[in-house]
Each structure stands twice: as C-alpha cells, then as structure tokens.
Amino acid sequence: MKQKMLLAALVVGSILVADVVTKRWALETLYHGFVVDGFGGYVPLTLAFNRGIAFGLPLPDAGRWLVIGASIVVLFVLLDMFRRAGERDWARLLSIELVAAGAIGNLIDRVRWERGVVDFIGPID
C-alpha cells in the first residue's frame, strides 16, 4: 500500500505542477489574443476559458457550483476505486491517477474564479 500511495503522489503531484505551470504560461503569454503554433505548426495554442462542462457544453449561472460539487463527488469515487485496486494493477492505478489529476486541476480553476477552466490547446482543424 505504501508503494501504491507513493506512486500516486508522484504521478498526481507531477501532473498538477505541470497543469499549474502551463496554465500560468498560457495566461501570461496568450492573454492578449496571441496564438502560438506549437508542435511544428500542427497544434495552435490559443487561450480560452471553458465555463461549461465536457466539450464546452453550456451551464446555467449556478452550474459552476454544481460542477464543483460533482467534481468533489467524483474525486471520492476515484479515491475508493484507487483504494480497491490491486497494487500490481498498474494500468488501472495509472488511469485513476491521471483522471484524478485532471479533475483536481480543473477544480482548482473553477474554485479560484468564475472565468472557468483555463484551456489553451487548439482549436485544431
């Protein structure tokens, strides 16, 4: 169990640090409509704020708090799934850790301001 928790802390922590750093970079660099052609020009980097849910589906004004609550519930479900997963079930553990890190990163954005989640990869034609 100790090894499982250590790996989870490393994976989730690393992704959260990368999430915060890249979103800060996007806010500072792309804020005034500047677009960067990343990855050899195949992936444009454009600052956007996603106030909706999956794929930008819109929410009513109070929807922000519903999504925050739902995210917290999802994190508890993921924690239970993590706890139940076997120590050698690396694919399941890594999947849970990746989803949890993404959920936490988006939750941080939703809690800190009403703008929504900071997005900056795309749009891709």
Side-chain angles (χ1 to χ4, degrees):
M1 181 68 152
K2 196 173 188 180
Q3 183 179 0
K4 186 165 94 168
M5 292 299 292
L6 178 62
L7 183 62
L10 288 172
V11 170
V12 173
S14 298
I15 291 174
L16 283 176
V17 167
D19 185 69
V20 169
V21 168
T22 56
K23 286 179 179 179
R24 168 166 254 162
W25 172 85
L27 287 167
E28 292 173 359
T29 305
L30 305 174
Y31 188 75
H32 298 288
F34 186 68
V35 176
V36 173
D37 288 328
F39 305 101
Y42 291 105
V43 180
L45 304 177
T46 310
L47 182 64
F49 297 95
N50 183 354
R51 297 181 77 191
I53 52 176
F55 307 108
L57 294 174
L59 285 172
D61 290 337
R64 171 182 174 219
W65 296 105
L66 292 172
V67 173
I68 288 171
S71 297
I72 292 169
V73 169
V74 165
L75 286 170
F76 278 107
V77 170
L78 290 169
L79 182 62
D80 184 58
M81 291 171 65
F82 177 82
R83 186 181 57 78
R84 292 174 185 242
E87 290 198 30
R88 295 180 185 246
D89 195 353
W90 297 110
R92 182 182 311 242
L93 289 170
L94 183 61
S95 298
I96 292 167
E97 293 160 9
L98 293 173
V99 172
I104 294 168
N106 289 351
L107 182 61
I108 290 169
D109 283 355
R110 290 188 190 279
V111 168
R112 77 177 173 155
W113 57 22
E114 294 181 6
R115 288 176 167 178
V117 175
V118 175
D119 287 333
F120 60 91
I121 298 176
I124 300 171
D125 293 333

